[in-house]
Amino acid sequence: MATIRDVAKAAGVSVATVSKIINNKGEASPETIARVQQVIQKLHYRPNSIAKSLSKRRSNLIALLIPTLNNPFFPELVREIEAAANQKGFHIFLCNTDDDRHKVKYYLDSILSHYACAAIINSLYVESEDLDRLESQGILTLTIDRAQFSHPYSAISVDHQSGAKKAVSHLLDQGCRKIIHLSGPKGQMSSIDRLSGYQEALNAFNPDLPQKVVYAHFDLFSGYQSIQSLIQSGFLFDGIFCSDDALALGAMRACLEAGFKIPDQVKIVGYDNILFSRYVTPSLSTISQHMKEMGNLAITEIISLMQQPNAKPKKIRLQPDLVIRESSTQLRGNHHE
């Protein structure tokens, strides 16, 4: 699907000139108008009426691209964003990309054809050119966390290195000295940041402490299988820091099946603070990314950009917090939530 930028490039004029010609605003020479119209026909460009809809507040659909529904974190994040959107009179168009570039392209086209007023994007497979395309069609964009690349648009990120450091420091405070890091896929920015936090915490405490990193997928089975294999190999450990709660719940199951007592023999800390983490036995210590705050901030920023078209996009960085529960310490009385 051709964009207004494609038309401008082929016609040798600016995007603003193409926009003015399409909307019959401003002046242009007859030759320029004819050239632009010829390119529009050649490229089969279809002008998007979203800009007009925005000015008249007729569009209330916000697209939300997420990487998967298999990880419990993302359905919970969707719920928080949807609640915040609904409260402000907007609806969510959910796009589950399954971390597949082909599906990302499909949903980008769908966002345009559904005349969404904005897009909130959490995906490893969205590129800066995709954001340019949406913005050129009048669709406001905001990225969350996974879309960690340099771009001029609004973004919400989480300081995962700080979160990981808090988790590992807690395990060290609880007496752990052989701490495994059950990481997400190698090379992903969120995995890299959490690995850095793990290493920083151990090195600050004692550079001579052993470090062990096991790479896995962000799901229950991968967490279970990874720790089960490690136990069967005879590797000794007394603490596990997991890159997300799904991995942690799988790791916990493997430890319990092997006869380890949690937290007496093995202490475990996850990451995300999903709902399940509160109700498993033992309840899971974890790092909260403040999903509710993230959802509210995303919708607030989108609305701000709508109301102030010339406002500078914001780069918001959230600080995660440690939530201590039974998997990492013997708690008495009320649990820390």
Side-chain angles (χ1 to χ4, degrees), residues 158-227:
V158 179
D159 189 347
H160 293 307
Q161 186 170 341
S162 172
K165 188 176 179 181
K166 289 176 181 178
V168 177
S169 295
H170 169 64
L171 289 172
L172 290 167
D173 289 343
Q174 295 302 307
C176 297
R177 296 295 181 265
K178 297 178 181 178
I179 303 172
I180 297 169
H181 176 35
L182 186 52
S183 171
K186 191 172 186 178
Q188 288 189 12
M189 185 54 69
S190 59
S191 298
I192 293 170
D193 288 344
R194 293 170 208 194
L195 173 59
S196 295
Y198 164 80
Q199 293 171 331
E200 184 180 346
L202 289 181
N203 289 332
F205 185 85
N206 183 347
D208 294 327
L209 285 181
Q211 298 185 14
K212 175 68 173 178
V213 181
V214 179
Y215 292 99
H217 298 291
F218 285 118
D219 61 60
L220 285 159
F221 178 71
S222 193
Y224 172 81
Q225 190 175 48
S226 297
I227 296 304

Side-chain angles (χ1 to χ4, degrees), residues 2 102 118 129 216 225 250 268 270 281 335:
H102 294 292
E129 291 79 7
Q225 190 175 48
I268 301 175
T281 301
H335 294 178

